[in-house]
Amino acid sequence: MKFVQSFWSKPFDDALNQDNWNYRHNGGFPSAYLFYCSWTYSCLSIKKYYPNLHLITDSKGLYFFKEILGLPYVSFSDGLNALDDYHGGLWALGKLHTYRTQQEPFCHIDGDVFIFGPILDSILDSPVFCQSFDIDTDQYKEIHPYVHSHFKNVPIEFRADLNGDMKLLNAGIIGGHDLPLFQAYTEKAFALIDQNMEKLDGMNTGLFNLYYEQFLLSNMLEKKSISISPLFPKSSAEPNFAAFHDVPQKARYIHLISHLKKSTEFLEQVVARLYLEFPDYYNRLQEVFKKERK
C-alpha cells in the first residue's frame, strides 16, 4: 500500500480571504507556524508505522518540505503545479488531483491527522475505505440546489435525494484498491468545475469543496451499491478525534477537523509533542520562523 499526503499552496497563500472560513489561508490554522508544526508532526507520526509515505505538492511545497525541513517522505512530486489556473477557493482540489494520479492502491492522509499505532491495518485491503461516516445531509442543502440551478452540464452522479439516509464519508483518510472508481469519481468532479469556473466567485466555496469531494463519492458509492470500509464505523457515535489525553492507550488516531484547528488546547499538544518526540524537526521550524520575524 502506498501512503500519500498532498499539499496545494494556492489556498494556503490566499491572504485576501484570510478571515473567511470558506477558504484555507494558512491551511485553516491560526498561523503558518502552527500549520507547519501540524504537518510536520503528521508526517512523522504516520512514518513511524507506515514508512511508504509520499508527498504530492507544488513548487512551494517541494521547496519547504524537502529543501528546508527535509521531511522523510519516500518521494516528492510537484504534480500539483498542474492546478495553477484553478480558483484558490477550491482547497480540496489538490486532494482530488492526487487521487486521480495514483496508479497503485493508495491511502491518502490529511496533514492534520496524527497516528499513534498501526490503526489503519484493518481497512487497507478494502476496495474503498474512509475515516468515518456522517448522516447529517443538512450541510449540503444550501449548495446542492444552488449547483443544480446555476451550473451547467452537472453530471448525473451529483443527483441525490437529500432527505434519505445517505452515509456521507469523511475523507480525513481515504483510498483503496478500486482505482477505476477513483478515476470515475475525480473525472466527474473536475468536469463540474471545469465547465463552471465563472460561477465560483461569491458562492459558499467551503460547502462546495465538501460537495465535490465527499458528497459526490458518497453518492456514487450508494448508487452503485459499493460498500466502503470506515476506520470508525458508527455514524451515530462519532469518536472524539481530538482525544490527546487518551493517546496511545485508548486513542491511536487524532484528526483536527474543521474548528479543532483553531483550538489553543489542541495546538499546544501538537507543538509540545513535536518538541518532545522529534526535537530536530522542531528546531528546524524554530530557525525558519525566527528568520521570518526579523
Side-chain angles (χ1 to χ4, degrees):
M1 175 67 69
K2 179 181 180 181
F3 295 85
V4 186
Q5 293 191 290
S6 62
F7 170 72
W8 183 32
S9 67
K10 190 169 186 177
F12 180 90
D13 290 331
D14 186 11
L16 291 176
N17 294 292
Q18 60 184 316
D19 298 321
N20 187 335
W21 74 271
N22 285 319
Y23 292 78
R24 283 296 185 271
H25 181 249
N26 288 335
F29 286 79
S31 70
Y33 169 72
L34 290 169
F35 166 82
Y36 285 120
C37 282
S38 170
W39 193 285
T40 299
Y41 190 56
S42 176
C43 167
L44 298 172
S45 74
I46 297 164
K47 184 82 176 178
K48 287 175 66 175
Y49 305 100
Y50 300 103
N52 188 26
L53 182 62
H54 303 254
L55 179 65
I56 312 297
T57 183
D58 51 25
S59 296
K60 175 173 180 171
L62 192 68
Y63 173 72
F64 199 89
F65 292 123
K66 183 179 182 181
E67 304 300 331
I68 301 299
L69 293 183
L71 291 180
Y73 290 104
V74 173
S75 73
F76 294 81
S77 167
D78 62 359
L80 296 190
N81 284 336
L83 302 180
D84 283 352
D85 293 333
Y86 282 91
H87 192 289
L90 300 174
W91 41 262
L93 210 56
K95 294 175 63 176
L96 266 72
H97 184 74
T98 298
Y99 307 158
R100 73 173 178 177
T101 57
Q102 298 310 301
Q103 298 180 343
E104 61 184 285
F106 71 95
C107 174
H108 184 283
I109 308 176
D110 283 354
D112 54 359
V113 167
F114 317 110
I115 291 176
F116 303 91
I119 188 173
L120 307 182
D121 289 3
S122 63
I123 59 172
L124 295 179
D125 290 333
S126 305
V128 189
F129 56 77
C130 67
Q131 172 188 283
S132 54
F133 289 135
D134 182 2
I135 59 174
D136 178 15
T137 59
D138 287 347
Q139 61 184 324
Y140 298 110
K141 288 185 176 178
E142 172 188 337
I143 199 68
H144 186 63
Y146 181 88
V147 167
H148 284 272
S149 61
H150 291 80
F151 282 36
K152 61 186 179 184
N153 301 324
V154 179
I156 61 173
E157 287 80 3
F158 283 93
R159 295 179 186 171
D161 178 9
L162 294 185
N163 295 317
D165 295 324
M166 183 192 303
K167 287 185 176 180
L168 298 161
L169 63 86
N170 182 287
I173 58 168
I174 193 168
H177 292 251
D178 193 345
L179 298 182
L181 172 68
F182 282 96
Q183 289 290 331
Y185 150 55
T186 54
E187 176 186 343
K188 298 303 178 182
F190 273 91
L192 178 70
I193 292 166
D194 289 340
Q195 297 184 55
N196 294 281
M197 296 283 281
E198 75 282 0
K199 305 286 199 332
L200 300 177
D201 285 324
M203 67 180 295
N204 190 328
T205 56
L207 290 179
F208 184 57
N209 280 282
L210 297 179
Y211 188 64
Y212 69 76
E213 181 194 18
Q214 299 186 163
F215 171 88
L216 171 60
L217 182 55
S218 301
N219 194 35
M220 290 179 67
L221 291 168
E222 182 174 87
K223 299 301 184 188
K224 295 176 181 290
S225 298
I226 297 174
S227 61
I228 181 170
S229 300
L231 182 61
F232 301 97
K234 295 182 179 180
S235 57
S236 59
E238 183 177 281
N240 179 359
F241 287 120
F244 282 104
H245 58 284
D246 283 335
V247 171
Q249 285 79 15
K250 295 181 180 180
R252 294 189 294 165
Y253 181 94
I254 299 290
H255 183 192
L256 297 184
I257 298 173
S258 185
H259 63 283
L260 299 182
K261 286 189 270 291
K262 303 289 189 183
S263 168
T264 301
E265 175 188 359
F266 303 137
L267 294 174
E268 286 178 347
Q269 281 277 350
V270 173
V271 176
R273 287 173 179 273
L274 179 63
Y275 170 73
L276 291 171
E277 297 176 37
F278 306 102
D280 288 347
Y281 289 96
Y282 173 85
N283 289 331
R284 290 178 201 179
L285 280 167
Q286 295 304 302
E287 287 299 313
V288 170
F289 285 90
K290 180 168 48 177
K291 291 176 183 177
E292 289 192 0
R293 289 194 293 267
K294 289 182 178 179

